[in-house]
Amino acid sequence: MAGRLRRRRREALLARRVRERDEWSATARQLAAALQHSTSLTNLILYSNKVGSQGAEQLAAALQHNSTMTSLDLGYNNIGARGTERLATTLEHNCSL
C-alpha cells in the first residue's frame, strides 16, 4: 500500500509540473517517451495541461507500446480531431486502457 501511495504522489507531482507549463513542453515529450517502457505507471492525469493535438499524438504513439496504463485523463487539453483520431486508433489496439 505504501508503494501505491508513493507512486500516486509522483504521478500527481509530475502532472502538476506539466500543468504549470504554458504549452506541451520537453518535459511532456519526455513523459511520452517514458510511457513506452513504463511497467509501473497505471494512472496519468494530464487534465488542463495544454497538451494539444501534437501532444496527444505523441502520447498515442507511446501508449501503443504500454500495457500497464489503465487510466488516462486528457480533459480540457484541446487535443483536436487529429489527436482524438490518433488516440482512438491506439485504443483499438491497447487492451489495458
Side-chain angles (χ1 to χ4, degrees):
M1 178 150 166
R4 277 188 278 189
L5 289 174
R6 280 192 299 272
R7 186 171 57 239
R8 285 184 185 153
R9 283 187 202 130
R10 276 184 298 204
E11 292 167 8
L13 181 59
L14 179 58
R16 188 179 76 220
R17 284 183 189 150
V18 174
R19 185 175 54 247
E20 290 170 353
R21 307 211 184 272
D22 289 335
E23 58 187 71
W24 188 250
S25 64
T27 301
R29 285 191 297 277
Q30 291 171 357
L31 171 63
L35 283 176
Q36 290 183 357
H37 308 291
S38 174
T39 58
S40 61
L41 186 66
T42 58
N43 299 310
L44 183 59
I45 302 168
L46 292 172
Y47 185 88
S48 191
N49 274 287
K50 300 182 181 180
V51 169
S53 180
Q54 181 182 6
E57 290 183 55
Q58 291 170 338
L59 284 171
L63 291 171
Q64 285 181 337
H65 307 284
N66 181 296
S67 60
T68 58
M69 183 73 66
T70 59
S71 176
L72 175 63
D73 185 347
L74 288 172
Y76 291 95
N77 275 293
N78 195 24
I79 61 174
R82 276 185 32 205
T84 302
E85 288 176 20
R86 185 77 158 98
L87 284 166
T89 301
T90 295
L91 290 174
E92 290 176 1
H93 304 288
N94 184 319
C95 298
S96 63
L97 271 170

